Amino acid sequence: MEIWNFPACSFFSDHHTHTIMPSLLSGRILHFPKLSATSSSESYSSKQVKFPKKISQNSATSVRPADSGSPLRKTHKLNLEVSPHRAVSAVRLMRIEFGGAFADLLNEQGKGSGDNEMGYVERTLGFRTRDLDDRDLRLVTEVVGGTIRWRRYLDHLILSLCHDERTFRSMEPLLVQILRIGFYEITKLDMPPYAVVDESVRLAKVALRPGAGNLVNGILRKLAVLKESDSLPAVEVDGDDRQQARGLATLYSHPVWMVRRWTKYFGQDTAIKLMTWNNSYPSFSLRANTGKGLTGADLVSRLKMLKVPHEPSLYLDDFVRLKTGMQNVIQAGLLKEGFCAVQDESAGLVVSIVDPQPGENIIDCCAAPGGKTLFMASRLNGQGKLFAVDINEGRLRILRETAKLHQVIDVISTIHSDLRTFSTDKVVEWDKVLLDAPCSGLGVLSKRADLRWNRRLEDMEQLKHLQDELLDSASRLVKPGGVLIYSTCSIDPEENEERIEAFLLRHPEFYIDPVNKYVPENFVTNRGFYMSNPVKHELDGAFAARLHESPDRLLSQVGHSKPYMQQFSLQAIIIRYSNH
């Protein structure tokens, strides 16, 4: 399941209002427009970035020849004193926080592409460092992900060690990123403080100015002393509910509204466990591509050859879990050649609930980027048809290319359309309809480190309205006696159980089909829904409900006998369209 992204947040700001744009329905995790204006009450995190131009003189200079008829290009400098992983990490963090880039996509693109990374450093800072090796790239992934996850706590420490709050608020964005990286490496990675201080000071002096390096030197040295004496600035978690929520939000580095919401629904102990899970290094799952006739055993064999640590899934035969080694999998070409796909087991269990059978006609209503689409197609064994609807034509093109790679394109047809329009224009009805709905993505915060900062409480109301609209639209595509599956990658009850309860009130012709026939019992709720809980199952959070439509929905209205029911269903829909 994809997540819909909201604008980058400032550290202390928890309240902004945004509008969902109809053109953004291509993803299943919503992308809200980015903030461009700031107020005096916002932190530096929301300010526009002004990249520095000053470069250190301790650099080797190379001049690129100018193109014929074009202005002379600027001089680019190679600095061998600056740590490459530190420069790349700082620029990545700038791109994520201010440029709308996503941490997981940057990590994916960065693996094995040091030239691309250094190109961003050069364009942002005005100089290059030495090339990155594999160890550097792995360290960049760890540092960027960890710094984003722990951002609120790191900022608390930085603010505590500054002379005054004004010093903290007036820092350039790049300087803040340099400090965050240093604080993360010292407090969370236990790197040697002297090395962190030295490298951070060099980057600040080269990329900004000597005074910035002096400031970094003083603050990081103070941190090192406090860390050594085990006397880091404490976080107060006492007081009333609001004060406790703010303290926990800082201590575990989450937005205050999330802490309060999870405490309300799950209790404080579970809320703390959820935040601890979100701050842990994520594990990943690979699915063997059965569309090519491969099995989980084949995947295990390849992983053993690559010496990648792995363990079989506890729940799905063709899935394998990885804690480390994903870079080796990518570099070995397993993904590019379609041998396997990255897919969490929680998503695979949703496909188990759909239960695709050869010969069925199935529609995936918000299909891109297509993880569930491809898995469902592989289970059709070349028989039946799978329609993938999405509003983003570019993402559908990628889905088709991946389907060819996975050798399941023969059963997949893509439809470029807004589901809400498509459902009123078409007369075809499907055996099974999957709505993997746009959601907040609160179940995948471990893998998507930046998501927690790109959410607002008020956005949840807009998402719920959208989910209701899409559920109503998807229900129109289900044939009499067919199945509607609603799923999210959220753990929020208001996006999950409450949406289904509201839908059933509007559509009494549907009823709940308990999922215990399709997934292990420990994933089944009291109402018969599927719920993957990160704390309980050590998987991404996910939800699914399987709903049957009564085969007598039209008979009850017109009194036709069953042999004519499907024909009347199509005629009724055509009449309804003509009335519009």
Side-chain angles (χ1 to χ4, degrees):
M1 141 76 66
E2 255 190 298
I3 304 158
W4 287 29
N5 283 303
F6 299 56
C9 81
S10 59
F11 168 56
F12 288 107
S13 176
D14 286 319
H15 303 288
H16 292 289
T17 302
H18 313 289
T19 303
I20 295 180
M21 305 299 291
S23 62
L24 300 176
L25 294 178
S26 60
R28 290 192 296 275
I29 297 176
L30 184 59
H31 301 260
F32 280 90
K34 194 165 184 66
L35 293 174
S36 58
T38 60
S39 67
S40 59
S41 63
E42 291 176 318
S43 74
Y44 54 82
S45 303
S46 297
K47 296 177 182 176
Q48 293 185 349
V49 183
K50 296 181 180 179
F51 294 123
K53 299 298 182 183
K54 187 170 184 178
I55 308 299
S56 170
Q57 295 180 353
N58 300 323
S59 306
T61 303
S62 62
V63 181
R64 293 180 179 176
D67 295 332
S68 176
S70 64
L72 184 65
R73 293 186 180 182
K74 294 182 178 179
T75 298
H76 295 272
K77 300 188 177 184
L78 174 65
N79 191 301
L80 299 178
E81 297 181 358
V82 173
S83 163
H85 98 265
R86 195 169 305 279
V88 169
S89 296
V91 171
R92 272 200 191 183
L93 289 168
M94 296 280 281
R95 292 175 62 201
I96 292 167
E97 189 164 350
F98 301 103
F102 305 139
D104 60 336
L105 295 180
L106 287 177
N107 287 336
E108 182 71 20
Q109 294 166 357
K111 289 169 181 170
S113 58
D115 288 342
N116 286 343
E117 294 291 342
M118 202 51 63
Y120 281 114
V121 170
E122 186 175 17
R123 289 192 293 275
T124 303
L125 304 183
F127 64 88
R128 299 174 68 92
T129 71
R130 68 167 174 80
D131 292 337
L132 289 87
D133 57 27
D134 289 345
R135 178 185 176 279
D136 292 324
L137 287 168
R138 287 192 294 269
L139 187 54
V140 167
T141 299
E142 166 64 35
V143 168
V144 170
T147 301
I148 293 172
R149 288 185 184 92
W150 289 101
R151 191 172 86 186
R152 189 181 187 102
Y153 176 69
L154 298 175
D155 285 359
H156 160 76
L157 294 179
I158 297 171
L159 178 59
S160 300
L161 299 187
C162 285
H163 292 299
D164 54 57
E165 187 171 334
R166 179 178 298 180
T167 301
F168 179 62
R169 302 293 178 208
S170 62
M171 288 180 185
E172 299 97 327
L174 178 60
L175 178 56
V176 173
Q177 304 300 352
I178 293 172
L179 282 171
R180 285 173 176 168
I181 292 169
F183 271 61
Y184 175 71
E185 290 177 336
I186 291 174
T187 62
K188 298 299 181 181
L189 295 185
D190 291 323
M191 287 186 174
Y194 67 88
V196 174
V197 173
D198 181 62
E199 291 183 6
S200 301
V201 169
R202 289 187 184 189
L203 177 57
K205 286 183 175 180
V206 172
L208 292 169
R209 61 192 182 282
N214 295 335
L215 180 62
V216 169
N217 181 64
I219 294 176
L220 286 181
R221 284 183 180 277
K222 189 184 300 185
L223 173 70
V225 171
L226 294 175
K227 177 72 162 50
E228 179 67 23
S229 62
D230 196 24
S231 54
L232 292 174
V235 178
E236 297 294 334
V237 293
D238 298 327
D240 60 23
D241 291 346
R242 286 180 176 272
Q243 291 171 324
Q244 289 185 38
R246 294 194 68 84
L248 291 172
T250 299
L251 185 61
Y252 293 98
S253 196
H254 278 68
V256 175
W257 74 265
M258 280 189 196
V259 179
R260 297 189 66 191
R261 194 175 185 88
W262 292 344
T263 300
K264 169 187 172 182
Y265 282 120
F266 311 123
Q268 189 176 96
D269 288 345
T270 299
I272 291 174
K273 290 177 181 178
L274 276 171
M275 291 187 286
T276 301
W277 167 265
N278 294 338
N279 288 334
S280 63
Y281 192 81
S283 60
F284 294 88
S285 295
L286 298 177
R287 174 179 60 81
N289 181 11
T290 55
K292 281 188 171 183
L294 302 168
T295 65
D298 297 321
L299 178 56
V300 167
S301 177
R302 287 291 295 271
L303 293 175
K304 286 181 178 179
M305 291 174 59
L306 295 172
K307 297 182 179 179
V308 173
H310 60 277
E311 58 184 35
S313 166
L314 300 176
Y315 312 110
L316 294 161
D317 292 337
D318 298 314
F319 282 67
V320 175
R321 290 188 188 183
L322 305 183
K323 192 68 176 179
T324 61
M326 183 60 74
Q327 184 176 348
N328 294 339
V329 171
I330 295 172
Q331 291 179 339
L334 268 64
L335 302 181
K336 285 186 177 180
E337 67 188 49
F339 191 92
C340 60
V342 179
Q343 188 167 39
D344 196 78
E345 294 159 84
S346 62
L349 288 168
V350 171
V351 173
S352 296
I353 292 168
V354 178
D355 190 32
Q357 296 295 319
E360 290 182 331
N361 288 323
I362 302 172
I363 185 167
D364 188 348
C365 292
C366 296
K372 294 184 180 70
T373 306
L374 297 172
F375 189 18
M376 288 190 291
S378 71
R379 292 183 57 167
L380 291 179
N381 296 328
Q383 303 174 52
K385 200 66 179 176
L386 179 56
F387 296 82
V389 179
D390 203 89
I391 200 170
N392 189 311
E393 190 170 15
R395 292 159 67 87
L396 284 177
R397 183 167 55 251
I398 295 173
L399 193 159
R400 288 193 296 271
E401 293 171 356
T402 309
K404 292 177 183 177
L405 181 66
H406 284 231
Q407 297 181 4
V408 292
I409 189 63
D410 290 345
V411 297
I412 294 179
S413 294
T414 59
I415 301 170
H416 176 220
S417 179
D418 185 323
L419 174 65
R420 294 169 294 185
T421 302
F422 176 80
S423 66
T424 58
D425 289 344
K426 305 301 176 184
V427 298
V428 179
E429 294 176 311
W430 281 265
D431 300 312
K432 291 171 180 174
V433 177
L434 171 62
L435 174 60
D436 196 22
C439 72
S440 63
L442 295 182
V444 296
L445 297 184
S446 173
K447 288 187 174 67
R448 289 293 305 273
D450 53 324
L451 286 180
R452 70 187 70 181
W453 309 121
N454 299 330
R455 293 290 177 270
R456 298 293 184 276
L457 177 59
E458 51 268 34
D459 297 322
M460 301 295 287
E461 290 300 319
Q462 299 177 24
L463 274 174
K464 286 157 49 179
H465 178 71
L466 176 61
Q467 289 157 356
D468 287 342
E469 285 188 340
L470 294 176
L471 257 174
D472 290 341
S473 299
S475 70
R476 290 193 285 266
L477 303 178
V478 183
K479 76 174 188 180
V483 179
L484 170 63
I485 299 93
Y486 172 82
S487 67
T488 73
C489 61
S490 175
I491 58 173
D492 195 278
E494 294 186 20
E495 294 186 90
N496 297 332
E497 296 93 337
E498 291 188 19
R499 300 281 53 77
I500 296 301
E501 299 296 347
F503 172 80
L504 293 175
L505 289 176
R506 297 193 304 273
H507 297 272
E509 69 274 19
F510 283 87
Y511 60 91
I512 298 171
D513 180 16
V515 301
N516 56 297
K517 299 187 291 292
Y518 309 99
V519 296
E521 194 67 36
N522 63 333
F523 288 95
V524 183
T525 71
N526 292 335
R527 294 280 285 135
F529 303 136
Y530 160 73
M531 173 61 75
S532 172
N533 186 302
V535 173
K536 180 179 179 181
H537 303 108
E538 297 187 346
L539 302 176
D540 286 348
F543 170 87
R546 184 180 166 101
L547 307 174
H548 261 293
E549 183 171 34
S550 170
D552 298 327
R553 63 166 180 174
L554 292 173
L555 288 176
S556 62
Q557 299 174 15
V558 298
H560 277 281
S561 60
K562 280 194 175 182
Y564 300 96
M565 183 172 62
Q566 177 65 25
Q567 177 185 359
F568 179 80
S569 175
L570 295 176
Q571 290 175 342
I573 292 174
I574 294 171
I575 293 172
R576 185 172 72 228
Y577 297 149
S578 65
N579 288 338
H580 285 183

